[in-house]
Amino acid sequence: MDSLSQLALGASVSVAVMGRRVPVWQSALVGAVIGTLPDLDVFIDHGDAIRNMTLHRSESHALLWLTLVSPLLSWLVAGLLRQRQHWVAWWLAIWLALITHPLLDLMTVYGTQLGLPLTDCPYAVGSMYIIDPLYTLPLLVALGVALGRRDRIGLRWNQVGLVVSTLYLGWSMVAQSMATQHIGQQLAQQRVKPERLLVTPTAFNTLVWRTVIMTPERYGEAWWSLLSPNRPLEIHWYDRQPALFTPFKGQWLAERVAWFSHGFYAMRQQGRDTLITDLRMGEEPNYTFTFNLGAPDAPDVAPTREPSLRPTLAEAWRKLRERI
């Protein structure tokens, strides 16, 4: 999720745990900082664009490593604030602020390797868009009340904000399940048998869902709205060009994208160069992650990330209104 959501979640969790043991602003500040720490791995340069993408949300998001580092961080915080008598409470607050970060990231489609070092599988529920105001606003509003009042009523507001935002996460999975069921029924009616099927929300909402339908030779893109569930599914088909992947089989970088995207990728030719696109994020023709693998006969060239054209906020809202 976006940094603001992670900051708000970390602060809210910390305030809920620490209660009236310490000033509300202190627990909120510590929780906000701790809640954003795992994403600092984005500043690490791993050497090329594909490694930078697929090694984000790895060790810094692993539940085991975050659990092991939490006692040290809590000891440092308690010492810095001269509150060693509250060390155990700080430990719980900081541990929760840390592990809720990758658990929230898990709800997006990107992929979070929270099982390291036992498994490097990039888990992804994919029921939440990376930015969703309906998740973040309850946390911010309730946290603002808690900071403003600094009493039991304010703390209760903070708890309610956490409950509401968590219920919204639950709702997103219910909506995703409904969308998947309806889309599957319509694909069956159209006699489409997908090799893989992805159903994930569009920007800022859980009402309109984008689906990617993978077959061996092509991929389809379509949208389904919760407010018009029986509208026929209109699929736009595109060539995957799987033959372009053949020269890159066995090469770590190309195989890494195919693995990380769970098979939701497509190839295309650009001059002598071959491009590989992760189809999960973005939409046709603009995707967040497209990498230039270079020419098949030049495997030692470091891959580069192609620029992506993101729609303006006004354009995003226009598309959302149309698809609803």
Side-chain angles (χ1 to χ4, degrees), residues 184-257:
Q185 291 173 352
Q186 294 207 33
L187 290 177
Q189 291 172 4
Q190 298 182 30
R191 297 183 180 179
V192 175
K193 296 181 179 180
E195 186 180 67
R196 293 180 180 85
L197 183 68
L198 175 71
V199 178
T200 191
T202 55
F204 318 130
N205 78 105
T206 54
L207 295 177
V208 180
W209 295 78
R210 173 178 177 260
T211 183
V212 180
I213 305 113
M214 304 296 293
T215 71
E217 298 297 328
R218 60 180 185 166
Y219 64 95
E221 183 180 48
W223 286 268
W224 179 87
S225 172
L226 186 67
L227 301 184
S228 53
N230 297 320
R231 185 175 62 187
L233 196 67
E234 183 179 349
I235 307 173
H236 301 274
W237 291 101
Y238 307 93
D239 188 2
R240 287 186 65 187
Q241 302 188 59
L244 293 177
F245 190 83
T246 302
F248 294 93
K249 281 187 176 180
Q251 294 186 18
W252 188 88
L253 294 168
E255 297 280 5
R256 182 76 173 180
V257 176

Side-chain angles (χ1 to χ4, degrees), residues 287-302:
Y287 289 96
T288 306
F289 293 103
T290 296
F291 302 100
N292 189 331
L293 299 174
D297 55 356
D300 296 330
V301 176

Side-chain angles (χ1 to χ4, degrees), residues 19 28 35 40 62 73 92 115 124 187 201 221 231 256 262 273 289 302 315:
L40 294 183
L73 289 177
L92 178 59
L187 290 177
E221 183 180 48
R231 185 175 62 187
R256 182 76 173 180
H262 299 284
D273 297 336
F289 293 103
E315 178 69 9

